Amino acid sequence: MVTATSHVTHAASRPAPPSLVFPPDFLWGTATAAYQIEGAAATDGRTPSIWDTYSRTPGKVRNGDTGDIATDHYHRWPEDVQIMSDLGVGAYRFSVSWPRVQPTGRGPAVQKGLDFYRRLTDGLLEKNIQPVATLYHWDLPQELEDAGGWPERATAERFAEYAGIVAEALGDRVKTWTTLNEPWCSAFLGYGSGVHAPGRTDPVDALRAAHHLNLGHGLAVQAMRAVLPSDAQMSVTLNIHQVRSLTDSAEDVDAARRIDGVANRVFTGPMLHGAYPADVLADTAHLTDWSFVRDGDTEDIRQRLDFLGVNYYTPTLVSAATGDGAHHSDGHGVSEHSPWPGAGQVAFHRPPGSTTAMGWAVDASGLYDLLRDLKREFPALPLVITENGAAFDDYVDPAGAVHDPDRIAYLHAHLAAVHRAIADGVDVRGYFLWSLLDNFEWGYGYSKRFGAVYVDYPTGRRTPKSSARWYAEVARTGALPATDRAH
């Protein structure tokens, strides 16, 4: 008979399971976005973006929250850089605020705006943190939206000019660049469902915006390569949806195809294959003839990339619609208008299992499957996880600490999925935790916390959570412990 005491002793004597060791040159980073953290909304020449306007529109953002102050990173960036240094991360992915650099979206830059990013990148380099700059994380200058926004071709042309300005100013400091972050959100949530800025709800405008975001990406890469050193790394970040059909029925499989088309292939087609997929054009033919795509556009869009940025949070589970085809459960906010043009007869389902504070299913197998599928379709293209993380209902305990074991478990599972993908031959070069700080979470305002660092918004006080210390140890050792337990 084995007593409880002898059982515990026996278990404790077993050797610990081996940790998962990542390649020695694997890049460990963290990420943020300008409007979500900077604040200083009217400082040093910055003018309103579409998110300033949208967040001031009654009923659009929870609690009427805005990014006017956010986490005040504009003034507190030295403290934030020191936090990153203390955590030992090797890279920081930030976005440049277009209206801070080029307030009207055209013409010369405001040097005070560029100076902020010069100071930030200098501070990062002094701490041996690699700056990774994203040019567009959704903050279109309001003046360009007033002229038509992304549905207009001129916006893509203005974006290329802006890209050239920033590249010329920071190209001696920044070696890794991303043109767009999640253009799907910009096009289909901004102009389709209206749950993101600018809040428009026209499916044709959404498709036009998708094309002009694609074109802006391609023109920006050309403009940047013309002024950057030859060793500069160019990328785009896509929130590739890992789409799964509810069943293997022909109807459900076709529903998944439709969503994959308007979620993913409407961007990867022209960017990486040089053409829009025929089935996407057919699915949306009742809405538009795509005459806004001009001769030569897809050649301009398809530019050489050094890696593809991949953002992943949760898989997407769909079926053929059996009712009214509503899209309220697609995880992207509630609207009477769909962000899925050409997919009106598709229903969305919540995958089984636990969920985050966003209501998103926790399923790391989706990340593994996504990386495997990208390897199969684009075998020569390196990948970087540019965002992955989770929101939970974090709080400061009476001792002044923030413990977030659910986030540690989430990160552990997803990093294990990345490790498995690498072991199976997928060329994944790095991982950026979303997010460094709690921040303005778009339509949810300040009600959702994704940060590894807790922010007390009234005072701005930063408190690293348990997950920050856990991630710091993973980054320091380059190894994922066998369990998700915090140290």
Side-chain angles (χ1 to χ4, degrees):
M1 179 177 180
V2 179
T3 67
T5 301
S6 64
H7 176 74
V8 170
T9 302
H10 177 70
S13 67
R14 294 174 187 159
S19 59
L20 303 178
V21 180
F22 283 76
D25 57 350
F26 192 82
L27 187 62
W28 299 96
T30 188
T32 64
Y35 188 73
Q36 293 180 274
I37 67 167
E38 284 183 2
T43 300
D44 291 338
R46 184 189 180 279
T47 57
S49 73
I50 54 175
W51 268 99
D52 293 277
T53 302
Y54 185 82
S55 64
R56 288 181 173 82
T57 304
K60 295 297 185 182
V61 175
R62 188 171 298 183
N63 300 321
D65 292 338
T66 74
D68 286 359
I69 299 173
T71 71
D72 198 26
H73 175 74
Y74 189 78
H75 297 109
R76 302 181 69 141
W77 68 265
E79 177 184 359
D80 295 335
V81 170
Q82 184 60 51
I83 290 172
M84 285 183 265
S85 179
D86 293 342
L87 295 178
V89 297
Y92 174 50
R93 176 177 175 256
F94 63 93
S95 78
V96 177
S97 168
W98 191 349
R100 192 177 297 288
V101 167
Q102 200 185 29
T104 65
R106 52 173 62 84
V110 172
Q111 289 304 312
K112 286 186 177 180
L114 286 175
D115 285 345
F116 168 70
Y117 298 105
R118 291 185 178 107
R119 293 191 300 272
L120 173 62
T121 52
D122 285 347
L124 292 166
L125 292 169
E126 288 171 5
K127 299 291 187 180
N128 295 314
I129 300 170
Q130 178 182 329
V132 177
T134 297
L135 288 173
Y136 187 73
H137 200 130
W138 309 349
D139 47 359
L140 184 71
Q142 182 61 43
E143 190 164 318
L144 290 185
E145 172 60 24
D146 293 342
W150 283 110
E152 297 300 319
R153 186 181 191 87
T155 304
E157 296 166 347
R158 299 290 81 75
F159 180 65
E161 294 170 4
Y162 155 71
I165 289 171
V166 178
E168 191 164 14
L170 301 180
D172 61 335
R173 298 165 168 86
V174 178
K175 303 303 180 186
T176 306
W177 297 85
T178 297
T179 53
L180 306 172
N181 179 81
E182 298 187 355
W184 183 86
C185 296
S186 298
F188 296 106
L189 300 184
Y191 294 92
S193 66
V195 299
H196 275 197
R200 288 159 60 177
T201 56
D202 185 318
V204 177
D205 277 349
L207 292 168
R208 290 174 60 92
H211 174 63
H212 293 130
L213 283 153
N214 284 333
L215 181 61
H217 156 77
L219 296 177
V221 172
Q222 295 176 61
M224 296 171 77
R225 288 206 187 276
V227 298
L228 287 172
S230 59
D231 62 347
Q233 299 281 297
M234 298 298 304
S235 70
V236 66
T237 281
L238 304 178
N239 56 320
I240 305 286
H241 292 61
Q242 210 284 313
V243 185
R244 297 170 170 175
S245 60
L246 185 65
T247 74
D248 291 332
S249 71
E251 294 80 7
D252 287 0
V253 170
D254 189 64
R257 177 199 61 77
R258 285 177 176 268
I259 297 303
D260 178 59
V262 78
N264 303 329
R265 292 181 289 113
V266 72
F267 299 106
T268 59
M271 286 183 180
L272 301 174
H273 290 305
Y276 283 99
D279 66 317
V280 173
L281 302 182
D283 288 345
T284 56
H286 64 291
L287 297 170
T288 177
D289 61 4
W290 290 77
S291 58
F292 46 82
V293 180
R294 298 183 186 177
D295 290 345
D297 278 4
T298 51
E299 288 80 3
D300 279 330
I301 294 168
R302 188 185 187 186
Q303 296 296 315
R304 177 178 62 85
L305 297 179
D306 297 289
F307 66 89
L308 175 65
V310 178
N311 290 359
Y312 173 86
Y313 293 93
T314 188
T316 301
L317 185 62
V318 302
S319 71
T322 56
D324 62 2
H327 299 271
H328 297 317
S329 60
D330 68 359
H332 295 292
V334 176
S335 172
E336 295 179 358
H337 304 273
S338 171
W340 307 101
Q345 295 305 309
V346 175
F348 291 80
H349 305 268
R350 177 176 289 176
S354 61
T355 60
T356 69
M358 298 291 289
W360 298 345
V362 177
D363 188 345
S365 72
L367 179 55
Y368 172 81
D369 292 346
L370 176 58
L371 296 173
R372 178 202 58 197
D373 293 346
L374 288 170
K375 164 71 173 178
R376 184 179 299 127
E377 186 171 2
F378 310 108
L381 185 60
L383 307 174
V384 173
I385 310 302
T386 40
E387 287 183 27
N388 178 239
F392 291 104
D393 295 324
D394 307 317
Y395 61 92
V396 180
D397 70 17
V402 182
H403 296 291
D404 53 344
D406 289 341
R407 182 172 291 104
I408 293 172
Y410 179 99
L411 297 177
H412 188 281
H414 287 76
L415 282 169
V418 174
H419 186 275
R420 179 186 171 200
I422 293 172
D424 289 347
V426 183
D427 187 4
V428 185
R429 302 281 180 88
Y431 177 95
F432 287 78
L433 168 64
W434 184 271
S435 168
L436 174 66
L437 304 169
D438 290 338
N439 54 44
F440 177 85
E441 187 49 40
W442 308 115
Y444 295 92
Y446 296 100
S447 68
K448 305 297 181 184
R449 293 182 178 270
F450 275 88
V453 176
Y454 186 95
V455 177
D456 178 70
Y457 294 115
T459 65
R461 182 185 302 113
R462 277 88 159 125
T463 303
K465 305 174 187 178
S466 296
S467 61
R469 295 188 293 274
W470 180 90
Y471 185 64
E473 182 69 6
V474 173
R476 184 186 68 80
T477 62
L480 186 64
T483 69
D484 57 25
R485 191 172 302 144
H487 295 291

